[in-house]
Amino acid sequence: MGSLITSRHIADLTHFSIFLLAFLLSSSFTATEAYDPLDPNGNITIKWDIMSWTPDGYVAVVTIFNYQRFRHIEAPGWTLGWTWAKEELIWATVGARTKEQGDCSRFKGNIPASCKKDPQVVDLPRKTPYSMQVANCCRGGVISTGIQDPANSASSFQLSVGRSGTTKKTVLLPKHFTLTAPGAGYACGAAKVVRPTRFISPDGRRMTQALMTWNVTCTSTQFLVRKTPTCCVALSAFYDETVADCPLCACGCHTRPAQPGRGCAEKDESGFARSVQCTPHMCPVRVHWHVKRDIGKYWRVGVTVTNFNYQKNYSEWNLGIQHPNFNNNLARAFGLNYKSLPDDTGMLWGIKRYNGLLREAGRFGHAQGELLFRKKDPSTFTLHKGWAFPRRVYFNGDSCAMPPPDAYPQLTTSE
Ligand SMILES: *[C@@H]1O[C@H](CO)[C@@H](O)[C@H](O)[C@H]1NC(C)=O
Ligand SMILES: *[C@@H]1O[C@H](CO)[C@@H](O)[C@H](O)[C@H]1NC(C)=O
Ligand SMILES: *[C@@H]1O[C@H](CO)[C@@H](O)[C@H](O)[C@H]1NC(C)=O
């Protein structure tokens, strides 16, 4: 009991200091201050390429690159905002639209798309007519990870800016960039003028370059602001009937005390349908790692991801799993895509049109696959002391709650 209280206190203290940290940083966030332990160099880079000067401003192509390993931008997609340095306005956008026009009452005839000092831009839907598109636009604001789908890991639009400087010397960089995405927070640094982007013509024979380029780097703040996990892990093995299930109340508690093994109503007392199925852990997502077999040079694991969320399909979901046997690409996956990453991490994701979409809670709300590990050095492999279980598991880049170590399946001494 004593140790329980201690760890609880530590957890409270950690929450408090994370809260404090988030509070202290929120006013003066720069991109370099935040880093995700699982993906320390992960970022989203926004690049503005000025392609031509106009009589009262410029035309730019803006591209959002997702350089994060595990975090993608889900539907309904990104919103990019900034504050103009002076009186700039947006005459028109191609391949995206401004959310609000603002006060353009001074204009007659030619009306700008947005006169706001702090405009916000969103992507266009996939069914946008081809004549209104630019390359890499119009995917409903969804951006994949480069590992899962490199061709869809960037998003572009074109912007015609007016009432701005019209030369490299007089143009002013926009300030206070903001990037928002469903269920995700980003902190963006200041725009920096960088070497102009070079473009190679489709036939590869001609090189052109932007007139001016600036970059903005944004990093995820998700791991700072999340108070409770959004996923949890269950562990089991062929040698023990015990399933070390997700910790009780791992992602929140039900209004009535949740009891393991007892289902609760799908509607809460007020009659509103809960969006997450009632479980003792109350997590929207559960990852089950089952050690299936130990077969000579190999050992085999079954992985099941279950969606308990009634109101959400997870498209392009992924898992990051830390286990020493992912080192040196010693694994093969069946029914899932797999890539070995540094730091003993394996990334797993669904196969398009098979289990790439993790369906909402219910009959189809799960994805399954198997991992076959080759024992590089059989002497390091052991079923003892939980070696065969992952050290950490991440779903879409967020760390999942693990069962307490004393609940792990145990190997009886004879084996
Ligand atoms: C953003 O990520 C890219 C790709 O990993 C990396 O090359 C670049 O240095 C990162 N930028 C910053 C400012 O961290
Ligand atoms: C600016 O961003 C682009 C796109 O990510 C990248 O290729 C380029 O290296 C960046 N420039 C600098 C100086 O970081
Ligand atoms: C999830 O996707 C399926 C298949 O596309 C669809 O029928 C279902 O309505 C979606 N559910 C939610 C909650 O969006």
Side-chain angles (χ1 to χ4, degrees), residues 41 43 45 67 217:
N41 301 316
N43 68 70
T45 299
Y67 293 131
T217 304

Short mmCIF file of all heavy atoms in Angstrom, two decimals, residues 41 43 45 67 217, ligand 1:
data_model
loop_
_atom_site.label_atom_id
_atom_site.label_comp_id
_atom_site.label_asym_id
_atom_site.label_seq_id
_atom_site.Cartn_x
_atom_site.Cartn_y
_atom_site.Cartn_z
N ASN A 41 13.51 14.37 -33.23
CA ASN A 41 13.70 15.30 -34.34
C ASN A 41 12.44 15.52 -35.15
O ASN A 41 12.46 16.19 -36.17
CB ASN A 41 14.80 14.79 -35.28
CG ASN A 41 16.11 14.63 -34.53
OD1 ASN A 41 16.49 15.50 -33.76
ND2 ASN A 41 16.76 13.49 -34.71
N ASN A 43 9.15 16.90 -36.65
CA ASN A 43 8.58 18.24 -36.75
C ASN A 43 7.69 18.32 -37.98
O ASN A 43 7.70 17.43 -38.83
CB ASN A 43 9.70 19.29 -36.79
CG ASN A 43 10.53 19.23 -38.07
OD1 ASN A 43 10.05 19.58 -39.16
ND2 ASN A 43 11.77 18.78 -37.94
N THR A 45 7.35 21.04 -41.01
CA THR A 45 7.99 22.23 -41.57
C THR A 45 7.06 22.85 -42.59
O THR A 45 6.54 22.15 -43.47
CB THR A 45 9.35 21.88 -42.20
OG1 THR A 45 10.20 21.35 -41.19
CG2 THR A 45 10.01 23.09 -42.81
N TYR A 67 7.32 15.78 -41.03
CA TYR A 67 8.56 15.05 -40.75
C TYR A 67 8.47 14.33 -39.42
O TYR A 67 9.45 14.21 -38.70
CB TYR A 67 9.75 16.01 -40.71
CG TYR A 67 10.09 16.63 -42.05
CD1 TYR A 67 10.27 18.00 -42.17
CD2 TYR A 67 10.26 15.84 -43.18
CE1 TYR A 67 10.62 18.58 -43.38
CE2 TYR A 67 10.60 16.41 -44.40
CZ TYR A 67 10.77 17.77 -44.50
OH TYR A 67 11.11 18.32 -45.69
N THR A 217 9.13 26.01 -38.44
CA THR A 217 9.11 24.65 -37.90
C THR A 217 8.15 24.57 -36.73
O THR A 217 8.18 25.41 -35.83
CB THR A 217 10.53 24.24 -37.45
OG1 THR A 217 11.39 24.39 -38.56
CG2 THR A 217 10.56 22.79 -36.99
C1 LIG B 1 12.73 18.85 -39.07
O1 LIG B 1 12.80 17.48 -39.49
C2 LIG B 1 13.69 17.29 -40.58
C3 LIG B 1 13.56 15.84 -41.01
O2 LIG B 1 13.77 14.97 -39.94
C4 LIG B 1 15.10 17.63 -40.16
O3 LIG B 1 15.99 17.48 -41.25
C5 LIG B 1 15.14 19.09 -39.69
O4 LIG B 1 16.40 19.38 -39.19
C6 LIG B 1 14.11 19.31 -38.60
N1 LIG B 1 14.06 20.74 -38.31
C7 LIG B 1 14.20 21.19 -37.09
C8 LIG B 1 14.21 22.67 -36.95
O5 LIG B 1 14.29 20.46 -36.13
#
